[in-house]
Amino acid sequence: MSETEWSNLSTEERRFPPPPELAAQANVTEETYRVAAQDPEAFWAEQAKRLSWGTPPTETLDWTNPPFAKWFADGTLNAAYNCLDRHVEAGHGDRVAFHFEGEPGDTRAVTYAELTREVCRAANALTTLGVQAGDRVAIYLPMVPEAVVAMLACARLGAVHVVVFGGFSADALSTRILDCDVRVVITADGGYRRGSASALKPAVDTALEKCPDVRTVLVVRRTGQETAMTEGRDLWWHEALAAEADEHTPQMFPAEHPLYVMYTSGSTGKPKGILHTTGGYLVGTSWTHWASFDLKPETDVFWTAADIGWVTGHSYLVYGPLVNGATSVMYEGTPDTPHKGRWWEIVQKYGVTILYCAPTAIRTFMKWGEQIPAEYDLSSLRILGSVGEPINPEAYVWYRTHIGGDRTPVVDTWWQTETGMHMIAPMPGVTAGKPGAAMRPVPGVSIDVVDDEARPVADGHAGLLVITKPWPSMLRTLWGDDQRFVDTYWSRFEGLYFAGDGAKKDADGDLWLLGRVDDVMNVSGHRMSTTEIESSLVSHPKVAEAAVVGAKDETTGQAIVAFVILRGEAAEQAGEDVVAELREHVARDIGKIARPRQIMVVPELPKTRSGKIMRRLLRDIAEDRELGDVTTLTDSSVMDLIKDKLPSAP
Ligand code: 6R9
């Protein structure tokens, strides 16, 4: 691909410098960038001191067998000790680790001391059940504190947790159990979703029909609903824990001991089991959590509004915040239950200072209207984060204005399950943010944008995003498949990590993400990113959400097909004239070449657990094909809803 074929992003002139009070006390300064750039390895060795080690490492990076990295390899540590005991020992046992808010309105404040005791009990229970270091344990739970307890109990024992998103099907669960050879599953009777109890355990029973090697299922009681228990296999979590002591001596493991496997969908074939190990992962997540969000652990109330079944939940709801001794909010349910102000009520109630969520949520709130957050006191907020997809400039500005009171920096964080930690993000005390841009590599990280021949593109040009140096929380391999690890990430360019995302360096050298490379469209020989056309559509006042795909076209090769959700009033009067108006809007905004061939007004878009639009399924619709695999959708009925509303595709 030649970078010059990419169309240009519409110009964005708005700038949001850091508030002076924030800059004056910021965790990260320009000096941090300078020091990190001078010697990244020395920088990470310094950051490793954030952790409590059994044996402190003397080595930093071992890159003698690329792309298989080892970080801090001669050090030993225990992940759970770093998240829990050491804070209690330092006198912070009474600090709240999690303000849990259940969807029905039940709440629990779990302190570091309580969490430590619960994790010890759970670790003892798992030991009683025969779980040992290196064993894999599947966790299939709703967003309840027991999910954190289960993860940390595994980590404490050196067992590898495999969290499967509670919204996934029995099929998705059994595939992952088999791939990782899991013997113990931790689940719940159910969870609360959209105002009612939704069962989880039956999916486990179905999944296990295909997994004869699973010997034990621990069942958390959350909803109290009728639950079938299989004699000899299923145990109640609370009973198993009640029988155990609340003390447990943590064993130290080598830094490269596996911590967890998290599956992420590949563009083809079976899901990839991303393997993260202990020392480097904890260094990378805790440092970025502290840096990108300017965390002040004594005073901040941090809320990652993401599911634990997504890497964002692992890195920024569990490990990063707990290593840092932070206080977090954990919310079980959906944003519109029992009313559309639920999130803002939670921010007001707990005095949330840092909110971290996905652009899809922000666009949903835009659709519902700014009058809803306006009813709540959101003045505690000081930093807003975004993750999962490029944030459209309009969504960025709306977020900053209506949630952040026009004061808060918006930190757009680009990273992946594979990277484990933030890789590109503005630093809130340093960077003057541009709406829609992820801005700069975080200190200690080396990123470039290259053309097809791995040549760095000049400022003002676009190409492929690569990571040019190893980083501590990088994936170590794909579970059981070193070759696929090498092929997927390290074969496109010699010595460079290929991220699979398109990106542009603007005239100042700042970075803009353009979406997955496989989402790039080629229209009459012009390469165009789905992201920029979507952003143009979303900038129109009548549009709440947009998804753009390239559909086969006899004349132009591919043609642009857009799916849009309209806002409030416009949705009621949707007709031909809105579609014509939107097509012209895009043509004016980006250029005639970007004018969609077709715009379909739909009630919903198909999304994954992390809020990513599944363009593959929309392409199936646009090209009038049978739908492909829908098992990773949060709600598979969405596709029927869309198909019902459409005239048959051309
Ligand atoms: C953390 C997470 C990774 C892919 C990644 C990219 C997209 C994530 C983004 C973003 C633009 C951002 N992505 N954050 N694109 N700006 N701030 O989402 O991990 O689920 O593995 O997805 O998500 O395309 O390659 P994961």
Side-chain angles (χ1 to χ4, degrees), residues 264 310-312 386-391 412-418 424 438 499-501 513-516 609-610 612:
T264 175
W310 179 25
V311 70
T312 301
S386 172
V387 55
E389 283 207 289
I391 180 165
D412 176 20
T413 60
W414 178 90
W415 58 295
Q416 308 177 299
T417 308
E418 291 86 342
I424 309 176
D501 281 41
L513 276 303
L514 297 175
R516 298 292 301 171
R609 67 194 150 157
S610 56
K612 291 189 220 320

Side-chain angles (χ1 to χ4, degrees), residues 337-357:
T337 308
H339 57 80
K340 291 185 169 132
R342 186 69 189 268
W343 274 30
W344 317 122
E345 193 176 70
I346 291 173
V347 168
Q348 173 177 292
K349 177 170 172 187
Y350 297 104
V352 172
T353 58
I354 307 167
L355 173 65
Y356 189 35
C357 68

Side-chain angles (χ1 to χ4, degrees), residues 9 12 14-16 386 389-394 396-397 410-414 424-427 431-440 504-506 508-514 531 535:
L9 274 172
E12 173 60 66
R14 291 168 289 189
R15 298 286 179 277
F16 297 104
S386 172
E389 283 207 289
I391 180 165
N392 324 92
E394 289 322 302
Y396 177 115
V397 172
V410 172
V411 177
D412 176 20
T413 60
W414 178 90
I424 309 176
M427 290 292 129
T431 320
K434 300 176 183 173
M439 305 299 295
R440 295 161 77 176
K504 178 186 157 97
K505 289 182 197 165
D506 68 15
D508 304 321
D510 291 324
L511 297 170
W512 298 70
L513 276 303
L514 297 175
T531 301
S535 285

